[in-house]
Amino acid sequence: MKILIRQGVKSTIYTYIGVFIGFLVSILFLPRMLEKEQLGLVNYMATLPILFAEVIGLGFTTLFSRIFYLFKNKEKKNNGIFFLWLMWFCTGLIVFLIVFFFFRNYFIDERHNPLLHQFIYWAIPLTIAYNIYLVLERYLRYIHFNASYSIFLKEIGVRVGLILCAILFFFKVINFVQFIAFYCIFQMVPAIFLLFKLGKEKELSFKPQLDFLNKELIKKILRITGVSISIGFFVNLAATISNIILEHKVNLSAVATFTIATTLSNIISIPMRVSHSTSEPILRDSFTKGHLDLAFRIYQKSCFIQTIIGIYFYLCLSLNVDNVLWLLPHNYMDVKIPILLISLGTLFDMMTGVNDALIGTSPKYHYSILSPFVLSGFTIFLNILLIPRWGVNGAAAATM
């Protein structure tokens, strides 16, 4: 419990510093420095790695959290789990490239958005780096119970880099093409730093230990992989489908408006993200050792604390939304209703505590497979129904 508190405090501090920097970038700098369509492109590029993460990872991120305790052995270099990941990654990369090149026309329309067509191939290295980050970040949490370092890289390091990019672009040191290139490179920095950190500490070992993989373990891996690919893909699809449909049915400017609304609304969910990140390895350890009372206490406290904080943040945001709009350029005034709708949905999610982490780490994890199917199906249906009628407001209503 002390580890959970210590990591929670550090992660919260880093996250809020990152939120402040992100606020400067997303609300004050980029809307004034970039045209609305250009900002929409930047936000859309950030969507694609999330969507493709499970395709290239083949569910290994979730698989890692389910089976790592079986491989965990410092003296034996964790029984070759990183060799297993390397094989998974290479296979997933081939699948991802096939899917990307065969279906890329669905994600871009050259006549509708020629700007997106110019930069779409940056999605490949972005997705690769994002998947590496997800696996190594989870390894750091599970082997050292350290969530704060990854959060520091993602929430602060990347955003400081984006400020530097924005300043260089504002003073015309770089053009927009170079801005996108630097933006993508900074998005890949967390994965690179994690690789160096774990490599320096000799935590990475790609030596195969095939004798450790018995029939029972292989069956378990394949069973979990099937479930995790399904869950992960549909969860990510539900999280990104609004931007994809907005780009197709409206334009990149609508993506820019929707992303600003999402960014502001997500301020409410920061405590929930920190709680999930820090509590997941503790919950997994609790279920593994049969300490169900500890898991229950963590969940109970998370519901209470997140509800109080969520209500407070929602009131602060909704009562001051006009003041926030004053900070934005005039062509973003249509963001008010999306902010109120998305933040209300975020509040309800906050009130459920660390439910995803609890179910995902429990022995009954397979029951969670139905929820992503229902959620993504319902979200896609609402987006297709509401976006052509109400645009960004429809996407916000579908998201909440």
Side-chain angles (χ1 to χ4, degrees), residues 41-52:
L41 170 68
V42 171
N43 295 328
Y44 190 79
M45 291 294 292
T47 296
L48 295 180
I50 299 173
L51 176 63
F52 289 125

Side-chain angles (χ1 to χ4, degrees), residues 173-186:
V173 178
I174 59 175
N175 57 32
F176 184 67
V177 174
Q178 293 167 328
F179 173 84
I180 291 293
F182 279 114
Y183 166 82
C184 293
I185 291 170
F186 276 114

